[in-house]
Amino acid sequence: MTHYLYLHGFQSGPQSLKARETAAYLHAIAPEATFDSPQLSPYPAQAIAQMTEYIAGLTQPVVLIGSSLGGYYATWLAERFALPAVLINPAIRPEDDLARFIGPLHNPYTGEHYTLGWQHMDELLALRPPRLTAANYWLVLGTADEVLDWRQAVRYYRGAATTVLNGDDHRLQGWPQCLGQLLTIPGRQPTI
């Protein structure tokens, strides 16, 4: 029985549309699989500590699914635990992308108020793995992503399995059509 762990993006949450689509698909097609999409801390070091502890407690095979900033976190976790990861329009340089959000923020999904500082950009930078194992990844990218440049992901994850949805945006409207391929990814036991 595989456990699918969905990591949401910046200013998002477990109730994001992609998370709900993924959960509904797995429930309908693979009811023996388990799925979770925890609310991640808005602070990078805390989010990674939260997910490291979570994964270390799992005993079944795991497949990571990360969207945007969640894709960046999934990359660190995939390398740390030798796990497969599906990355949906992943952030490549979030310390640059999120610098414009320094200051007080409000998460519309959770209602949480918090403040991002420069130390959090440093935390993001510290989460960039020194190397990537391309065979661990399946990229799902939209060429009309209005937030992130899909070509950066293709270059960064060179050699990874890649699905490019021409004209699709950051939300990735075509994600439901990709869900069938989730079941072809062999989950792996976390290497602790």
Side-chain angles (χ1 to χ4, degrees):
M1 171 178 19
T2 300
H3 183 72
Y4 294 87
L5 178 58
Y6 185 95
L7 306 177
H8 64 75
F10 177 67
Q11 290 287 83
S12 189
Q15 291 304 311
S16 73
L17 185 55
K18 285 190 294 284
R20 288 183 288 130
E21 289 168 343
T22 306
Y25 174 82
L26 290 170
H27 179 72
I29 303 301
E32 71 286 354
T34 57
F35 175 86
D36 195 11
S37 179
Q39 179 63 51
L40 300 175
S41 169
Y43 304 116
Q46 288 179 18
I48 285 295
Q50 174 189 0
M51 289 299 92
T52 298
E53 182 177 344
Y54 181 101
I55 291 170
L58 294 173
T59 57
Q60 71 261 49
V62 177
V63 172
L64 300 169
I65 305 168
S67 177
S68 194
L69 181 58
Y72 186 76
Y73 292 157
T75 299
W76 189 90
L77 294 164
E79 295 300 330
R80 164 66 179 83
F81 291 103
L83 294 172
V86 180
L87 308 178
I88 306 163
N89 288 330
I92 305 302
R93 300 193 57 81
E95 72 280 2
D96 294 336
D97 300 330
L98 299 183
R100 64 188 172 109
F101 294 102
I102 296 291
L105 292 166
H106 172 257
N107 184 321
Y109 280 86
T110 65
E112 180 180 13
H113 292 273
Y114 64 99
T115 301
L116 275 186
W118 289 109
Q119 73 273 22
H120 302 116
M121 301 306 106
D122 291 339
E123 290 174 5
L124 287 169
L125 186 57
L127 294 173
R128 181 166 293 111
R131 61 170 174 66
L132 294 177
T133 309
N136 284 350
Y137 303 103
W138 171 33
L139 303 177
V140 185
L141 308 168
T143 63
D145 187 332
E146 67 282 9
V147 177
L148 301 168
D149 184 346
W150 67 278
R151 293 167 292 210
Q152 286 183 350
V154 169
R155 286 190 296 272
Y156 186 68
Y157 295 95
R158 186 181 335 261
T162 304
T163 299
V164 177
L165 302 177
N166 194 30
D168 212 334
D169 59 7
H170 191 68
R171 163 27 207 142
L172 206 69
Q173 308 296 323
W175 175 240
Q177 288 74 47
C178 298
L179 287 168
Q181 294 180 49
L182 277 182
L183 302 179
T184 67
I185 299 170
R188 280 185 251 154
Q189 292 290 122
T191 303
I192 309 295

